[in-house]
Amino acid sequence: MEMSEDDINTEEYPTEIHDYLAAFEKSLGSVDEMLKTMMSVSRSELLQKLEPLEQAKLDLVSVYTLNSMFWVYLATQGINPKEHPVKQELELLVQLEIHQAALNRFTGENKNIHEQGQRNSRQEKGIQTR
């Protein structure tokens, strides 16, 4: 999949986009490495190491990433992704991400309230023992 510098130079394309193409190729390499890393561990093994909220985040990011990659694939095949059902999928995923962010804030606030309550309780116990 990786092209050598000679292969790139022999292709006919406007020279002003060379840097963009090189950056895109590098990004593809990064995505490939990340996918290899994720696929080297079984999904169940990966999920066992995560809290339920983190599992949901991973699932959401994974689905969004796959749909985004499919969007790009459609575009490379000459299909307008804006007229394909993948557009609605991505819109739904954006809404889910918004809800996920709200849930994160809510659970974070509850955690902070709980921690503050524990600190106050310890302080009160310290005062009572004096």
Side-chain angles (χ1 to χ4, degrees):
M1 177 174 195
E2 195 167 313
M3 296 173 27
S4 71
E5 188 70 29
D6 292 335
D7 292 335
I8 293 173
N9 289 334
T10 59
E11 296 291 322
E12 292 186 29
Y13 60 86
T15 56
E16 56 269 8
I17 67 168
H18 175 77
D19 291 340
Y20 295 111
L21 291 175
F24 181 68
E25 182 182 16
K26 184 178 178 183
S27 294
L28 285 177
S30 297
V31 169
D32 186 43
E33 287 301 313
M34 182 177 29
L35 287 173
K36 285 179 183 174
T37 301
M38 286 187 69
M39 293 173 64
S40 68
V41 178
S42 74
R43 187 176 187 306
S44 61
E45 185 180 339
L46 180 61
L47 291 178
Q48 287 176 355
K49 297 176 183 178
L50 300 174
E51 297 293 323
L53 191 57
E54 295 298 317
Q55 291 175 8
K57 286 180 189 178
L58 177 64
D59 286 342
L60 188 59
V61 168
S62 298
V63 171
Y64 187 84
T65 301
L66 288 173
N67 276 283
S68 296
M69 292 172 75
F70 188 65
W71 177 286
V72 172
Y73 170 76
L74 289 173
T76 64
Q77 300 303 305
I79 300 169
N80 184 355
K82 293 178 182 176
E83 297 173 359
H84 191 277
V86 74
K87 182 177 187 261
Q88 287 80 26
E89 287 290 324
L90 286 168
E91 289 171 350
L92 173 64
L93 290 168
V94 167
Q95 290 301 312
L96 289 172
E97 287 177 347
I98 291 169
H99 292 298
Q100 175 97 36
L103 182 60
N104 289 342
R105 283 192 304 275
F106 176 75
T107 56
E109 289 171 6
N110 281 344
K111 181 179 179 185
N112 291 339
I113 291 169
H114 178 71
E115 289 172 354
Q116 182 64 38
Q118 287 179 330
R119 279 194 296 270
N120 290 344
S121 177
R122 284 192 297 263
Q123 289 171 350
E124 288 172 8
K125 287 179 184 175
I127 291 171
Q128 290 172 357
T129 58
R130 289 184 190 168

